[in-house]
Amino acid sequence: MNIKQPLTIAVPKGRILSELEPLLSKVGIYPEAAFFDENSRALQFECKGQPITLIRVRSFDVATFVAFGGAHVGFCGSDVLMEFDYSDIYMPLDMNIGHCRLSIAAPVGVSEKPFARESHVRIATKYPNLTRQFFAKKGIQAECIKLSGAIELAPALGMADRIVDLVSSGATLKANGLEEVAVITQVSSRLIINRSVYKTRSAEIGSMIEAFRGAVDERAA
Ligand code: PRP
């Protein structure tokens, strides 16, 4: 990897970091110690020996930072990329981390025959676009209540019939009396690049993509 000019990389907060960190090391990106300190309030972090700055943002905002040029590069869930569908983002590599699924869930016991005879459903979700698209294909109108977190609370509190959210272990659904009814899409993290940055810095960015591709392949072997 041969990065010469300053490069800003958007990295999501949260559980993905532990999977991402070894891949960053493999390509020679070593963030300053504060990056790994959950209590640090800093949002930008320098890297040793490289003109690379990492910015730590919410997973849902990575694509927006890259699409609008705030960051040149990012690591972003395919769920978020599908929800926003930004045309300015190039996504050359599946990082093979952050595996989970975007699913519909309903209170346990009321979901045996999902969506039979329904023409309208009310869904709490962070993903209104993907939710509407999924139900529209079935001829069902989805009324979405947009939440940013604690979505699993919505059915029990009478706000929605069902939810659409990420499921990994299923523990959060179980703890809230919900069960998966259908999978909308499988999810993993992607390396993403602002398209105009890719055009103007193709040699540097190309070397970075290949470095990450090697790290991902090595990890899978
Ligand atoms: C995600 C998601 C679910 C949970 C699912 O939230 O929104 O709540 O993980 O994981 P599980 O199936 O292993 O229980 P996350 O913890 O990433 O926090 P968030 O609400 O900030 O997205």
Side-chain angles (χ1 to χ4, degrees):
M1 194 168 88
N2 189 14
I3 303 299
K4 293 180 184 139
Q5 298 169 49
L7 188 79
T8 301
I9 304 180
V11 175
K13 287 180 188 174
R15 56 176 105 178
I16 192 101
L17 263 190
S18 59
E19 286 187 279
L20 187 59
E21 198 263 322
L23 294 169
L24 292 175
S25 302
K26 273 195 179 137
V27 303
I29 297 176
Y30 300 106
E32 60 183 297
F35 178 71
F36 300 103
D37 178 1
E38 295 269 325
N39 297 319
S40 168
R41 302 299 297 165
L43 298 172
Q44 298 192 62
F45 307 88
E46 300 311 318
C47 296
K48 287 166 204 150
Q50 303 251 32
I52 293 175
T53 302
L54 300 186
I55 60 170
R56 191 163 58 188
V57 304
R58 288 190 173 197
S59 57
F60 231 74
D61 290 336
V62 169
T64 305
F65 273 91
V66 173
F68 288 90
H72 303 105
V73 171
F75 297 100
C76 187
S78 53
D79 54 324
V80 176
L81 294 168
M82 289 168 72
E83 176 67 17
F84 285 102
D85 197 23
Y86 286 122
S87 58
D88 293 335
I89 289 180
Y90 172 49
M91 42 191 107
L93 184 64
D94 187 337
M95 298 297 290
N96 198 18
I97 58 174
H99 289 282
C100 56
R101 53 203 184 270
L102 184 69
S103 292
I104 303 168
V108 172
V110 301
S111 57
E112 296 80 21
K113 287 188 181 164
F115 331 126
R117 294 197 293 263
E118 286 174 271
S119 61
H120 173 271
V121 291
R122 188 188 268 188
I123 309 274
T125 187
K126 261 204 272 198
Y127 302 86
N129 294 327
L130 289 177
T131 300
R132 280 191 213 103
Q133 284 165 23
F134 177 87
F135 281 99
K137 281 187 195 142
K138 297 182 178 300
I140 299 169
Q141 191 196 356
E143 179 192 349
C144 293
I145 300 175
K146 177 100 194 291
L147 293 173
S148 305
I151 293 152
E152 291 85 356
L153 286 171
L157 299 180
M159 293 168 67
D161 319 316
R162 300 180 180 87
I163 67 166
V164 166
D165 198 12
L166 295 181
V167 180
S168 178
S169 66
T172 310
L173 291 184
K174 196 170 177 202
N176 289 283
L178 301 172
E179 63 186 1
E180 241 175 319
V181 190
V183 176
I184 295 180
T185 183
Q186 296 291 330
V187 172
S188 62
S189 285
R190 309 296 159 97
L191 173 66
I192 63 170
I193 296 155
N194 178 286
R195 278 193 193 278
S196 59
V197 171
Y198 184 62
K199 279 186 201 141
T200 53
R201 297 177 65 178
S202 57
E204 273 178 294
I205 301 290
S207 76
M208 186 196 67
I209 294 169
E210 288 319 307
F212 275 114
R213 195 185 305 283
V216 169
D217 289 349
E218 198 181 308
R219 181 175 173 271

